[in-house]
């Protein structure tokens, strides 16, 4: 096959880039290793910044999000048995939308196929070749196992942390920064009524806890755990006991229980690859950076990346000018590192670092007390959580 932009990865980043390019009259082909059914059924969390939500509406794929998603005007921070609300709308005039990443994927797939977009499912990408030339190609095994090649002008690597695009960049041409955290999240999906209309982030002596929602009937809850723990060590009774202990309130508020539908452990790490470009190969989303989920920045960073990349490609095809392509990595990385800072700050403020003395825990409580008691500090949190403006 031959196209203008070869896109590796059919997650939110790759599909959104393909649709944005389509709206600019630029052809693309998306190669995705999973089947459509697998892609659409992989349940993933989704906290959308105001800018992400606005973009999906602008390009015509936000109708179901607006109908089924949950718009939140604030968030709750809990510590010492008391809960404090950060009012996003009052502080910065913005909010967030809770709408699963897999639901965004469904909407984007439908939009791409309806407009004649080319998505090759079950395509196992093997390597990107000739990235440092004017005619790169993507070598992949198709659904039938036959090896094929996609020739293109540019390659967008949107294939995640474990994909083939980043390793296609020579080691001497990239620098990688990584931090692994000594804890993970034990997550459950629960069939139960909402315990809170808005997210609850909780610091407790026993560790972190988070209450989120997927729908009026399905809730998502997390608690801090050992990243090497086994799900089998967490029977339902232990999960509820730990959540109730960490989320106990002075006023007697109580978490609503229900059947647990899913359990899993999420490791926590921060990762950045610099630069995000090698020749005509551009990395976007998790292929270039990973953030801990505490700051809800993962998918939003991917959206910001492809917005910048689409703008640069559109300028190139319209005028032949490559200044925006040359600036792509620098522009994206400024936002990436700010998101890394915010995610690290939220993670450090809300998780127990076991093995350290009580001094650190007291500092965390003092930090939360300051953030919830200072309008300036609350505004900083609200500004970052709802999304910094695109530069």
């Amino acid at each position: 096959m031959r196209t203008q932009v070869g896109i590796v990865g059919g997650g939110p980043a790759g599909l959104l880039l393909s649709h944005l390019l389509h709206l600019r009259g630029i052809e693309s082909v998306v190669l995705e290793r999973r089947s459509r059914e697998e892609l659409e059924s992989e349940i993933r969390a989704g906290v959308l910044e105001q800018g992400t939500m606005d973009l999906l509406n602008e390009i015509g794929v936000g109708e179901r999000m607006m109908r089924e998603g949950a718009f939140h005007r604030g968030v709750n921070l809990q510590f010492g048995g008391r809960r404090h609300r950060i009012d996003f709308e009052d502080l910065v005039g913005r909010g967030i939308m809770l709408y699963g990443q897999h639901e965004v994927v469904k909407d984007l797939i439908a939009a791409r196929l309806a407009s004649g977009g080319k998505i090759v499912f079950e395509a196992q990408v093997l390597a990107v070749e000739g990235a440092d030339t004017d005619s790169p190609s993507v070598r992949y095994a198709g659904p039938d196992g036959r090896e094929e090649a996609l020739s293109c002008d540019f390659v967008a690597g949107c294939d995640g942390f474990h994909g083939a695009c980043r390793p296609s960049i020579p080691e001497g041409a990239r620098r990688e920064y990584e931090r692994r955290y000594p804890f993970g999240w034990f997550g459950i999906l629960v069939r139960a009524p909402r315990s809170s209309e808005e997210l609850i982030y909780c610091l407790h002596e026993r560790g972190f806890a988070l209450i989120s929602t997927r729908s009026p009937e399905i809730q998502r809850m997390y608690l801090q755990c050992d990243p090497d723990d086994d799900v089998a060590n967490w029977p339902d009774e232990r999960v509820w006991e730990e959540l109730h202990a960490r989320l106990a309130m002075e006023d007697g508020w109580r978490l609503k229980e229900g059947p647990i539908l899913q359990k899993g452990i999420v490791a926590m790490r921060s990762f950045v690859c610099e630069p995000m470009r090698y020749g005509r190969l551009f990395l976007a989303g998790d292929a270039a950076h990973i953030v801990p989920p505490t700051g809800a920045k993962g998918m939003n960073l991917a959206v910001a990346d492809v917005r910048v990349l689409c703008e640069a490609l559109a300028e190139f095809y319209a005028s032949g000018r490559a200044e925006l392509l040359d600036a792509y990595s620098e522009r994206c990385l400024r936002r990436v590192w700010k998101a890394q800072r915010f995610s690290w700050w939220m993670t450090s403020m809300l998780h127990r670092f076991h093995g350290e003395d009580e001094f650190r825990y007291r500092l965390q409580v003092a930090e939360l007390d300051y953030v919830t008691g200072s309008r300036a500090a609350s505004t900083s949190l609200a500004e970052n959580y709802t999304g910094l403006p695109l530069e």
Side-chain angles (χ1 to χ4, degrees):
M1 287 191 292
R2 168 81 187 150
T3 192
Q4 290 176 294
V5 181
I7 300 174
V8 183
L15 292 168
L16 178 59
L17 176 60
S18 180
H19 197 60
L20 290 172
L21 292 173
H22 163 71
L23 296 176
R24 298 289 193 101
I26 300 169
E27 295 178 354
S28 67
V29 172
V30 178
L31 302 175
E32 166 55 42
R33 65 176 176 80
R34 291 161 290 184
S35 68
R36 180 178 180 179
E37 292 72 24
E38 289 175 306
L39 195 59
E40 293 184 339
S41 62
E42 184 181 29
I43 298 177
R44 300 285 297 276
V47 175
L48 310 185
E49 296 175 351
Q50 183 77 53
T52 299
M53 179 179 63
D54 292 344
L55 176 64
L56 295 177
N57 281 323
E58 287 168 15
I59 63 174
V61 296
E63 181 182 349
R64 195 165 67 91
M65 171 189 69
M66 298 303 293
R67 186 174 64 249
E68 300 179 10
F71 184 74
H72 288 191
R73 295 171 170 81
V75 70
N76 298 288
L77 299 181
Q78 181 177 324
F79 58 99
R82 295 188 300 274
R83 191 169 299 160
H84 309 262
R85 183 171 184 266
I86 306 295
D87 190 330
F88 294 156
E89 227 171 26
D90 173 59
L91 294 166
V92 294
R94 302 193 297 270
I96 57 169
M97 178 69 77
L98 264 67
Y99 188 62
Q101 178 175 311
H102 59 292
E103 304 294 353
V104 175
V105 166
K106 289 178 187 177
D107 297 338
L108 288 169
I109 289 176
R112 291 305 302 122
L113 296 180
S115 58
K118 180 69 172 177
I119 306 173
V120 182
F121 295 103
E122 300 179 77
Q124 185 64 47
V125 171
L126 306 173
V128 177
E129 299 175 336
D132 55 349
T133 71
D134 290 341
S135 53
S137 64
V138 182
R139 187 161 50 86
Y140 68 98
D144 59 2
R146 287 194 308 165
E147 192 168 308
E148 302 184 43
L150 173 64
S151 301
C152 44
D153 301 328
F154 299 95
V155 177
C158 306
D159 53 345
F161 183 79
H162 299 289
C165 287
R166 190 176 68 256
S168 294
I169 301 175
E171 289 189 7
R174 55 186 161 97
R175 301 181 301 278
E176 297 183 353
Y177 305 89
E178 185 171 17
R179 166 168 290 184
R180 293 183 178 271
Y181 296 86
F183 41 73
W185 281 7
F186 187 92
I188 61 171
L189 202 64
V190 182
R191 187 179 302 281
R194 288 183 178 138
S195 295
S196 170
E197 290 300 313
E198 295 176 332
L199 293 162
I200 302 172
Y201 285 84
C202 177
L203 171 69
H204 189 271
E205 292 180 349
R206 300 167 71 108
F208 168 79
L210 170 63
I211 302 302
S212 179
T213 185
R214 290 293 167 270
S215 73
E217 301 82 23
I218 302 296
Q219 316 308 321
R220 192 66 151 159
M221 306 178 188
Y222 297 95
L223 53 87
Q224 179 181 342
C225 69
D226 184 329
D228 298 318
D229 206 342
D230 192 319
V231 171
N233 295 330
W234 288 87
D236 293 3
E237 295 78 12
R238 183 188 177 193
V239 173
W240 290 118
E241 179 185 350
E242 198 64 35
L243 283 169
H244 283 301
R246 298 186 191 189
L247 290 156
M249 292 272 289
E250 289 181 348
D251 63 6
W253 174 91
R254 188 169 176 81
L255 185 67
K256 295 176 181 176
E257 296 187 19
I260 296 178
L261 309 176
Q262 184 187 85
K263 297 178 182 179
I265 294 176
V266 180
M268 307 277 280
R269 68 168 175 264
S270 300
F271 173 84
V272 179
C273 175
E274 292 188 356
M276 291 170 57
R277 175 194 181 179
Y278 176 71
R280 291 200 166 197
L281 168 60
F282 295 82
L283 302 180
D286 287 358
H289 41 73
I290 298 286
V291 290
T294 326
K297 289 285 157 267
M299 181 165 55
N300 295 293
L301 275 181
V303 169
D305 290 346
V306 299
R307 289 183 77 165
V308 173
L309 183 54
C310 176
E311 180 186 354
L313 290 168
E315 173 68 15
F316 176 83
Y317 281 112
S319 67
R321 298 174 58 182
E323 287 89 346
L324 291 182
L325 288 172
D326 294 337
Y328 169 76
S329 183
E330 181 182 354
R331 288 182 67 192
C332 289
L333 284 169
R334 289 184 67 187
R335 187 183 189 88
V336 167
W337 280 111
K338 289 175 184 176
Q340 290 285 3
R341 181 210 68 82
F342 177 68
S343 299
W344 168 84
W345 174 72
M346 287 280 287
T347 301
S348 300
M349 179 172 63
L350 289 161
H351 291 75
R352 290 304 312 270
F353 288 75
H354 296 295
E356 298 192 10
D357 59 25
E358 285 297 301
F359 185 79
R360 180 177 185 127
Y361 178 65
R362 296 298 178 185
L363 289 178
Q364 290 173 294
V365 172
E367 179 80 359
L368 282 163
D369 195 26
Y370 171 64
V371 169
T372 56
S374 162
R375 186 174 179 87
S378 295
T379 300
S380 176
L381 187 152
E383 182 182 43
N384 281 272
Y385 201 99
T386 60
L388 296 173
L390 279 177
E391 298 178 358

